[in-house]
Amino acid sequence: MMKLFRMMAAVVTMIAGMLSLAGAAEQAIFGPEKYDVKERYGKVNRYTGTFTASEALYLLKFQNGDKLPERSDWIEFTLNGEKLLKDGKYGYSYFGGFVNLKKENTFEIVLKDEKPSGFRRPALPPRFVTLTVNPAAPALKKMKGVFGLNTWDGLNKYSEAILKIKSADGLSYAMTASSLQIDVTVRSDAMRKLSDLKEHSAQDYLLGVYGDVNCVQDVRGEAALALGMLGDKAVIPVLIPGVLDPEDKVSIGSARALSFYKEEDTQGLLMKMLERLDYMRQDAAVKAIVSAGWKPVGTIMKLAESTDHQVANTATKLLGGMQDARATDLLLKLLDQPGARDQSVIINALGDTKDPRAVEPLLKIAHDPERLKGKQADLGEALANLGDQRAAEPLADMIKKADSRVSWERLRAAYKKLTGKDFK
């Protein structure tokens, strides 16, 4: 009987906790009130209202439509003269705002459709937002700010992840980094400061921000770096796909985060990812890894010797950006024995190494008409990148013998980069 009583008590406690986080719907002191986007095609819809409350912390539930086509493209929300949502486009379905209210409260909501280009005016579905104000649960008394949510139920998990951060400074930085009412520069700086704390209790929060595709890339990129600095190997499978994120700051941040781990910890997953990529995404991965300064040299060397032509070429591009003696050694070997690899890719990679050892082998190609054929522009650019003035004369000769307008222009640009002068 005692065991059954304890189980029932635990269940009641759990349910009470779940209800205490988001607040029960019947506690609403205002709303739900719906505001329609009546004036369409970029015209302003402005609504004002008032409501009374006790002087305490409240939770504002701001819902943008019931489904994607019903969302307002642009939203602005001001409460008691404070702008909680700046005029902007938001990808979120919900906004949860923790604010201290007065006895008398006024608000303004501004909604707009996207203004269509040209004269086309397609039929638009109904669009609206809904505002509800509830007392905030005591468990959330430390929460402050306006947070974007993809589901309203996600507020509980989001709040728990923030509130479990043990450091008082870390808790403050997390809320600043995530609050939509704060400028992006301030938010990203707060995330950077949280990263510097190396606060392991913030890992769940950081994972949530990093995985939120609607969060601005500045903040997500800093969250990636913070995860890398914590050094938990369990996060590596989450960071590896981030190297391919379409947002540059996220992809570079992910690659920089991975650079904090030992190469043997990332090698397997990185190899698998690069081996299965198509041409376009391979270039994106190359750009992120090189831009981040991540140098998994051993992994890339293995891939450069792959029998898969596409994988080998991708890895060869990466070797140049490694700017490592081992990478140069392999590239010089591949230059003489390219096999099925594209020799132009090897030449470009050697130019990226900035290694003076690459100059002499490339000059030999410049003086060999057979080996030079079809590679003039790539060779000229590689020599210009290496900066050895001995390349000026063969570059001038290649310009005179250029086989296309595009090649001629690339060679002239390379000549100017090398000599600082226009070719005449």
Side-chain angles (χ1 to χ4, degrees):
M1 179 65 73
M2 182 62 70
K3 184 176 180 181
L4 178 61
F5 176 78
R6 287 173 180 167
M7 289 176 63
M8 291 177 66
V11 170
V12 170
T13 301
M14 180 180 71
I15 293 172
M18 291 172 63
L19 290 174
S20 70
L21 279 178
E26 61 267 25
Q27 292 179 324
I29 64 161
F30 179 84
E33 288 290 328
K34 181 180 175 185
Y35 302 92
D36 293 302
V37 184
K38 295 179 180 178
E39 298 295 325
R40 313 307 291 263
Y41 308 117
K43 294 180 181 178
V44 171
N45 294 262
R46 191 181 306 274
Y47 296 95
T48 58
T50 61
F51 60 89
T52 59
S54 58
E55 295 181 353
L57 182 69
Y58 285 80
L59 171 61
L60 277 62
K61 178 182 179 181
F62 203 82
Q63 181 176 352
N64 193 9
D66 285 332
K67 47 193 174 183
L68 184 59
E70 297 171 345
R71 294 183 190 172
S72 176
D73 289 325
W74 294 81
I75 299 175
E76 181 181 300
F77 179 60
T78 305
L79 177 66
N80 295 332
E82 181 182 5
K83 200 162 286 187
L84 300 186
L85 287 176
K86 298 175 183 178
D87 184 24
K89 300 182 74 173
Y90 300 92
Y92 295 106
S93 300
Y94 297 88
F95 305 91
F98 294 91
V99 295
N100 288 298
L101 294 180
K102 305 174 182 178
K103 290 182 179 180
E104 297 292 331
N105 302 276
T106 62
F107 66 86
E108 180 181 74
I109 298 173
V110 179
L111 309 173
K112 288 185 294 185
D113 273 331
E114 188 74 76
K115 188 175 183 179
S117 58
F119 296 100
R120 188 167 176 266
R121 294 292 185 270
L124 293 174
R127 292 183 179 174
F128 58 91
V129 299
T130 306
L131 175 63
T132 310
V133 183
N134 293 298
L140 299 176
K141 63 182 181 180
K142 291 185 179 180
M143 293 295 289
K144 182 181 180 182
V146 181
F147 309 104
L149 303 162
N150 296 308
T151 65
W152 185 247
D153 289 343
L155 178 64
N156 286 353
K157 185 177 180 181
Y158 199 83
S159 300
E160 286 170 356
I162 291 178
L163 293 174
K164 74 186 290 187
I165 298 174
K166 294 178 181 178
S167 157
D169 285 342
L171 183 66
S172 176
Y173 291 146
M175 283 191 281
T176 299
S178 289
S179 184
L180 298 177
Q181 71 183 114
I182 298 174
D183 289 337
V184 171
T185 52
V186 177
R187 292 174 60 193
S188 57
D189 184 61
M191 185 62 82
R192 199 173 302 117
K193 289 176 179 175
L194 176 59
S195 175
D196 291 340
L197 293 178
K198 296 183 181 179
E199 177 62 67
H200 286 270
S201 63
Q203 181 162 298
D204 286 346
Y205 163 72
L206 293 170
L207 284 168
V209 173
Y210 178 66
D212 181 3
V213 295
N214 288 317
C215 182
V216 291
Q217 62 167 318
D218 308 63
V219 176
R220 285 185 67 209
E222 293 293 341
L225 194 56
L227 286 167
M229 292 181 72
L230 291 179
D232 185 350
K233 293 180 185 178
V235 175
I236 292 174
V238 179
L239 291 170
I240 287 282
V243 175
L244 299 175
D245 195 278
E247 299 284 5
D248 285 347
K249 290 183 180 178
V250 179
S251 61
I252 293 171
S254 300
R256 286 184 64 198
L258 289 162
S259 72
F260 286 99
Y261 295 91
K262 293 179 181 178
E263 186 171 349
E264 57 262 33
D265 295 332
T266 61
Q267 185 171 91
L269 288 172
L270 178 60
M271 287 182 70
K272 284 181 182 178
M273 181 185 76
L274 291 174
E275 284 172 342
R276 67 173 182 262
L277 295 182
D278 55 51
Y279 179 77
M280 292 293 289
R281 291 193 299 164
Q282 283 177 349
D283 277 354
V286 170
K287 180 182 176 183
I289 291 172
V290 171
S291 298
W294 182 24
K295 298 184 179 182
V297 181
T299 304
I300 304 306
M301 287 175 67
K302 284 186 178 183
L303 290 170
E305 297 189 278
S306 169
T307 54
D308 185 310
H309 173 69
Q310 187 167 297
V311 170
N313 277 338
T314 299
T316 301
K317 289 180 186 177
L318 276 168
L319 282 176
M322 300 291 104
Q323 295 186 2
D324 183 282
R326 293 168 294 165
T328 304
D329 290 340
L330 179 56
L331 288 170
L332 289 171
K333 173 188 168 185
L334 296 177
L335 185 66
D336 288 330
Q337 302 168 22
R341 296 170 187 80
D342 185 342
Q343 198 172 33
S344 292
V345 173
I346 301 169
I347 289 170
N348 278 317
L350 279 167
D352 290 337
T353 65
K354 302 295 190 287
D355 192 323
R357 292 181 296 154
V359 176
E360 202 63 47
L362 294 181
L363 285 175
K364 286 181 180 179
I365 296 176
H367 290 107
D368 186 333
E370 282 302 313
R371 296 180 69 190
L372 180 61
K373 190 175 181 181
K375 305 178 186 70
Q376 294 95 328
D378 293 301
L379 185 65
E381 289 171 346
L383 286 167
N385 286 337
L386 290 167
D388 193 304
Q389 295 303 312
R390 289 178 293 166
E393 186 178 339
L395 252 174
D397 191 54
M398 285 188 280
I399 292 171
K400 294 172 186 175
K401 298 175 182 177
D403 55 5
S404 70
R405 177 75 183 185
V406 172
S407 179
W408 181 78
E409 289 177 348
R410 287 174 63 189
L411 286 165
R412 281 175 59 87
Y415 182 88
K416 184 169 184 178
K417 180 177 182 179
L418 177 67
T419 66
K421 302 175 183 177
D422 290 320
F423 177 78
K424 295 180 180 178

